[in-house]
Amino acid sequence: MDSGNHQIPENANEHCPGSQSEEAGKADACAGCPNQQICATAPKGPDPDLVTIAERMATIKHKILVLSGKGGVGKSTFAAQLSFALAEMDSQVGLLDIDICGPSIPKMLGLEGQDIHQSNLGWSPVYVESNLGVMSIGFMLPNPDEAVIWRGPRKNGLIKQFLKDVDWGELDYLVVDAPPGTSDEHISIVQFLQATGIVGAIIVTTPQQVSLIDVRKEISFCKKVGIQVLGIVENMSELRQSISDFRFVKSTESGHENDVTEWALSYIRSNAPELLSVISCCEVFDSSRGGAAKMCAEMRVPFLGKVPMDPHLCRAVEEGRSCFTDQKCTVSAPALRTIIEKLVSSCQ
């Protein structure tokens, strides 16, 4: 609903001044409104840069946000592997890392130490392959150990510059890896991109309640700002590992541990070789309350699937490789591929 040129959220208080009003989040009518903080921190009034952003984004067909309620759930890992998968489907793909305080994407795509180059068309992405380009503040830091200590306006200004000045060319997909939570960066990326058309958001979580509580807030955020939730991905749903990849230890009476891996594997080969092809499954996080699938049913958002914890995927991420070309990622790659195929179908 609109009031003049000032957009009013559906669940706003009576006499709402509108989310684009200078009084948004500050007026007496805003007290107690669930949108108060978002409206108070969002940019106000017409922004001339939005026209430039719209022109730059016009050559990008699908813009997808990858979000998480909290850190450490594998959001950037999913964004990186999603980008690899889309590129391997012969799509033109861009990956934009706006996790300004924790830019891990350069490492996850094997691009550490790369620099951004400028041309008369703007900043050029750093390319993994000819059809997979990446942009991140990580490319701008002289020292990867340097902390980025910026206030909101400066972070928002960089996000705008990424959208306005990066020459992506024609893309089928732009994957945006956002920081965890619902911070200024989220409000900015939505504000800057909304007029250009965002396909929607994927939210990554782990199964336990402490993570799902924050995912509910992320879903609420998306609904408030008008972003479709494309689905929830439950990461680290359980540990799955081949017996042959296990390390075995034996405790001594003094409390020390001895590595007995060679002895154990030799014993299995001799006495039960069929066990070497067995996958061991172990629940790492408590999912007794139904995990992400149950939460999706309650909140009426799509559940895209589960990705097990896979040491080979962790190794591929550390080395900046695609799990889909790694013959050892037999547990995680099929699960990720099924999820990504669902996602691509929903974007058609």
Side-chain angles (χ1 to χ4, degrees):
M1 181 172 68
D2 288 338
S3 174
N5 294 322
H6 297 156
Q7 189 175 13
I8 296 179
E10 289 184 3
N11 58 343
N13 286 353
E14 190 177 3
H15 307 304
C16 170
S19 60
Q20 290 301 300
S21 167
E22 290 297 329
E23 292 297 307
K26 304 171 186 176
D28 291 343
C30 299
C33 177
N35 308 295
Q36 186 173 14
Q37 184 177 1
I38 292 174
C39 290
T41 55
K44 306 297 188 299
D47 185 342
D49 285 334
L50 293 183
V51 175
T52 308
I53 291 172
E55 290 173 351
R56 183 70 82 176
M57 296 288 109
T59 59
I60 300 172
K61 293 179 183 176
H62 303 103
K63 305 165 196 75
I64 299 171
L65 305 182
V66 180
L67 310 175
S68 68
K70 65 191 311 102
V73 300
K75 168 186 57 65
S76 293
T77 294
F78 181 81
Q81 296 303 317
L82 169 62
S83 301
F84 276 128
L86 293 173
E88 288 163 16
M89 294 175 183
D90 294 325
S91 297
Q92 295 292 326
V93 183
L95 174 54
L96 175 59
D97 179 11
I98 63 165
D99 192 348
I100 292 170
C101 294
S104 53
I105 287 298
K107 180 173 182 60
M108 291 185 174
L109 279 91
L111 298 174
E112 282 185 301
Q114 297 291 322
D115 296 318
I116 295 172
H117 299 285
Q118 285 186 296
S119 69
N120 58 344
L121 297 176
W123 289 349
S124 297
V126 178
Y127 284 89
V128 183
E129 302 288 350
S130 60
N131 64 334
L132 175 52
V134 181
M135 181 57 66
S136 169
I137 192 177
F139 299 136
M140 302 177 179
L141 301 178
N143 181 349
D145 296 330
E146 183 176 328
V148 180
I149 306 173
W150 288 0
R151 291 187 183 274
R154 192 174 179 191
K155 290 191 285 187
N156 297 342
L158 180 63
I159 293 171
K160 181 187 285 187
Q161 196 166 7
F162 278 159
L163 297 176
K164 184 166 62 80
D165 294 342
V166 177
D167 177 30
W168 294 105
E170 293 192 4
L171 293 181
D172 295 302
Y173 296 94
L174 178 65
V175 178
V176 181
D177 182 28
T182 53
S183 60
D184 278 358
E185 291 95 315
H186 297 77
I187 298 167
S188 295
I189 197 72
V190 170
Q191 179 83 10
F192 299 148
L193 279 183
Q194 209 154 32
T196 73
I198 303 174
V199 173
I202 303 165
I203 303 175
V204 181
T205 184
T206 48
Q208 80 274 38
Q209 288 298 306
V210 70
S211 180
L212 294 174
I213 288 169
D214 290 332
V215 170
R216 291 174 182 271
K217 297 174 185 175
E218 201 80 34
I219 293 171
S220 176
F221 169 83
C222 289
K223 289 180 178 179
K224 285 178 182 178
V225 298
I227 300 298
Q228 180 184 358
V229 177
L230 298 174
I232 309 297
V233 174
E234 185 180 281
N235 198 23
M236 309 182 203
S237 58
E238 61 183 358
L239 173 64
R240 290 195 170 204
Q241 190 172 6
S242 169
I243 294 290
S244 59
D245 289 332
F246 269 50
R247 176 173 168 264
F248 296 87
V249 297
K250 188 173 183 179
S251 297
T252 65
E253 291 182 2
S254 61
H256 296 292
E257 289 185 344
N258 292 329
D259 189 317
V260 294
T261 303
E262 282 301 318
W263 169 82
L265 290 178
S266 176
Y267 185 88
I268 292 171
R269 288 190 200 101
S270 299
N271 296 281
E274 63 275 12
L275 288 180
L276 294 174
S277 60
V278 171
I279 300 294
S280 172
C281 303
C282 174
E283 189 175 84
V284 177
F285 297 112
D286 179 26
S287 61
S288 60
R289 298 190 188 181
K294 182 181 178 183
M295 182 208 65
C296 287
E298 291 171 352
M299 299 198 74
R300 297 182 181 179
V301 294
F303 178 61
L304 292 175
K306 299 181 179 183
V307 182
M309 189 179 289
D310 179 359
H312 291 294
L313 172 61
C314 298
R315 193 168 296 117
V317 169
E318 285 289 315
E319 296 173 1
R321 296 183 286 107
S322 165
C323 74
F324 304 105
T325 57
D326 189 329
Q327 300 302 314
K328 292 184 177 181
C329 292
T330 56
V331 170
S332 54
L336 281 165
R337 193 176 296 281
T338 299
I339 288 169
I340 292 165
E341 286 172 355
K342 284 184 187 178
L343 177 64
V344 170
S345 295
S346 69
C347 291
Q348 302 303 322

